[in-house]
């Protein structure tokens, strides 16, 4: 029991965060040499960076056909849209689920399904508020296309936000991936879109909270219609 509690409290930090935590601690030491109370500022920054770059383990569902959320955050949009042109997926609109990440969400991104990476494309762009619809088209982004084990195509896109200025994607072309595996992150505050295969309905709705690598967004083996929800 104690081990389980500590596991939730002592969450590992993603390696991308160590320079920020170390820099903030160094800043705190420098401030202390000037005026000791100033050291508190550096410690607060270090604490925030430790929290922001937390990288908890996740319980990923393993059944074939399940598509999980690639990010933590809340669903900001469920709508049809044309996938990013750089992925060469045609001009037919597909169902797109958008997950908005605030600065308080875990920012480690996870692979939504098992399969192979077939396309990677980085697009330079603006840094608009990631919650805006046009952010999918205008903002800086990293687009990924993959093929599942049963031959279906899925696309997922890391989108920089108003504050986010760095997208990290560790995937490589033709890489074999598994559902829920870590593949990158975006800092600080951002959005992740996922495009589902034609005919696949999302099982989530606007406003729902996602847990990256855990929450099921769609089931490729089901013919269930798009789910409806209500606030209770």
């Amino acid at each position: 029991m104690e081990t389980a509690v500590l596991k939730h409290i002592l969450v590992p930090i993603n390696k991308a965060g160590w320079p920020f935590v170390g820099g903030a601690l160094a800043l705190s030491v420098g401030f202390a040499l000037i005026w000791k109370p100033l050291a508190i500022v550096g410690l607060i920054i270090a604490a925030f960076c430790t929290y922001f770059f937390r990288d908890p383990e996740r319980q990923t569902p393993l059944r074939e056909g399940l598509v999980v959320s690639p990010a933590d955050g809340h669903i900001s949009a469920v709508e049809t849209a044309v996938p990013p042109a750089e992925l060469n997926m045609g001009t037919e609109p597909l169902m797109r689920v958008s997950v908005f990440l605030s600065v308080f969400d875990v920012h480690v991104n996870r692979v939504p399904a098992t399969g192979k990476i077939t396309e990677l494309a980085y697009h330079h762009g603006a840094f608009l508020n990631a919650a805006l619809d046009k952010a999918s088209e205008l903002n800086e982004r990293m687009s990924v296309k993959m093929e599942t084990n049963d031959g279906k195509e899925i696309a997922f896109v890391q989108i920089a936000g108003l504050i986010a200025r760095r997208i990290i994607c560790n995937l490589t072309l033709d890489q074999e991936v598994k559902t829920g595996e870590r593949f990158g992150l975006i800092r600080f505050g951002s959005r992740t879109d996922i495009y589902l295969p034609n005919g696949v309905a999302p099982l989530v709705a606007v406003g729902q909270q996602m847990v990256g690598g855990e929450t099921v967004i769609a089931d490729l083996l089901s013919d269930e219609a798009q789910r409806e929800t209500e606030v209770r």
Side-chain angles (χ1 to χ4, degrees), residues 155-177:
F156 48 101
V157 186
Q158 297 171 289
I159 302 171
L162 184 65
I163 303 174
R165 299 286 160 161
R166 180 79 168 91
I167 295 174
I168 298 174
C169 179
N170 299 317
L171 297 171
T172 57
L173 198 61
D174 296 325
Q175 180 180 346
E176 299 286 344
V177 293

Side-chain angles (χ1 to χ4, degrees), residues 44 51 61 70 86 94 105 120-121 133 136 159 165 210 224:
I44 292 174
Y51 174 75
E86 61 268 21
L94 299 175
D105 289 309
L120 293 165
D133 287 341
S136 292
I159 302 171
R165 299 286 160 161
M210 298 292 101
E224 180 180 348

Side-chain angles (χ1 to χ4, degrees), residues 92-139:
E92 180 182 359
L94 299 175
M95 186 59 72
R96 181 180 71 192
V97 178
S98 300
V99 182
F100 178 76
L101 297 78
S102 76
V103 293
F104 301 108
D105 289 309
V106 172
H107 272 61
V108 175
N109 294 139
R110 292 174 180 265
V111 178
T114 296
K116 183 173 72 172
I117 303 302
T118 57
E119 195 88 39
L120 293 165
Y122 186 76
H123 174 83
H124 289 281
F127 296 96
L128 305 175
N129 186 335
L132 300 176
D133 287 341
K134 58 185 177 180
S136 292
E137 180 181 353
L138 301 179
N139 277 27

